[in-house]
Amino acid sequence: DGGITQSPKYLFRKEGQNVTLSCEQNLNHDAMYWYRQDPGQGLRLIYYSQIVNDFQKGDIAEGYSVSREKKESFPLTVTSAQKNPTAFYLCASSPDGRQPQHFGDGTRLSIL
Amino acid sequence: QKEVEQDPGPLSVPEGAIVSLNCTYSNSAFQYFMWYRQYSRKGPELLMYTYSSGNKEDGRFTAQVDKSSKYISLFIRDSQPSDSATYLCAMIKAAGNKLTFGGGTRVLVKP
């Protein structure tokens, strides 16, 4: 069953702590994306990657970091520099940048 | 001004009614258009994908694109309570590789 798996579903962060959100896809897609969604808001792009070992900043990259060491994996780290990290984080993938994106079911991050 | 505008709603309709949703955009470079449905605490699910002006139908869903007016629409016929969700429009520029989303419209279908 092909799809995108995000884990964990819920995550809590303490002050000054970095946390990493996992995103794995078995769709053999080249492109992967991370979005942030705040209550009642649309999706804002954090980072994206068109190919392994390459990624670009999106519209709100400050306080976040990513890596793309494998085609199927695109983890997102929320660093302590991100002062307002409470949000719903969505990972997506696409065969290439012009095809529709398919989404995982998200990780909800909260501050302790 | 946002590149893609979408009324946030909520849009409340009785079961069986037609739901009419729309988005306007300002940049004529957008060439590929999508509609996503998002249930609470879930990721968006692709409903429709179009890349030319005109209509595209899939079951109870019809997507319309009017590039001359920079306006896209989604119609849901015979609406059901299970259609209650947030609907997001999204689009890609011809030379682009990123989606630009509208803010989403919340729809409530009352039994």
Side-chain angles (χ1 to χ4, degrees):
Chain A
D1 212 359
I4 300 172
T5 302
Q6 290 189 241
S7 62
K9 198 172 179 68
Y10 300 95
L11 187 58
F12 297 91
R13 195 191 88 169
K14 294 180 182 178
E15 291 286 339
Q17 187 181 45
N18 293 353
V19 291
T20 297
L21 285 61
S22 170
C23 177
E24 303 277 332
Q25 54 100 357
N26 60 5
L27 300 167
N28 200 33
H29 287 174
D30 284 321
M32 296 187 74
Y33 305 81
W34 273 107
Y35 293 90
R36 170 181 172 139
Q37 187 175 35
D38 293 285
Q41 307 267 329
L43 278 67
R44 291 186 290 169
L45 182 64
I46 303 172
Y47 268 98
Y48 65 103
S49 169
Q50 298 289 296
I51 197 169
V52 174
N53 292 322
D54 188 45
F55 49 83
Q56 286 79 42
K57 292 182 179 180
D59 301 319
I60 55 164
E62 186 174 347
Y64 301 97
S65 66
V66 294
S67 63
R68 186 87 187 275
E69 297 176 1
K70 298 186 294 182
K71 185 175 184 177
E72 59 270 23
S73 178
F74 191 40
L76 173 74
T77 297
V78 184
T79 75
S80 56
Q82 172 49 246
K83 298 306 179 187
N84 185 23
T86 297
F88 190 46
Y89 290 87
L90 287 158
C91 178
S93 72
S94 169
D96 61 46
R98 303 216 185 143
Q99 297 293 317
Q101 294 174 18
H102 300 266
F103 286 81
D105 273 341
T107 292
R108 189 165 300 276
L109 176 62
S110 302
I111 294 297
L112 278 177
Chain B
Q1 186 185 1
K2 294 180 182 178
E3 282 192 294
V4 180
E5 297 280 357
Q6 187 176 4
D7 189 321
L11 178 62
S12 183
V13 300
E15 183 175 356
I18 294 175
V19 176
S20 176
L21 303 164
N22 58 73
C23 287
T24 59
Y25 60 97
S26 56
N27 193 330
S28 58
F30 287 121
Q31 295 294 318
Y32 305 93
F33 305 92
M34 281 136 275
W35 285 96
Y36 287 86
R37 176 176 63 196
Q38 186 177 22
Y39 292 115
S40 182
R41 297 188 181 88
K42 291 287 192 179
E45 170 193 1
L46 179 68
L47 287 176
M48 301 288 281
Y49 170 53
T50 59
Y51 49 86
S52 58
S53 284
N55 292 0
K56 180 177 181 180
E57 193 171 315
D58 184 359
R60 295 186 296 115
F61 299 94
T62 300
Q64 279 186 355
V65 174
D66 183 344
K67 290 186 178 179
S68 62
S69 302
K70 299 190 185 68
Y71 189 89
I72 66 170
S73 301
L74 178 71
F75 301 97
I76 308 172
R77 289 184 299 280
D78 187 25
S79 59
Q80 305 295 311
S82 58
D83 294 325
S84 298
T86 296
Y87 290 80
L88 298 153
C89 65
M91 46 198 80
I92 304 175
K93 296 171 185 173
N97 55 14
K98 298 184 291 181
L99 283 181
T100 301
F101 283 89
T105 299
R106 187 165 161 241
V107 172
L108 298 170
V109 180
K110 297 186 175 180

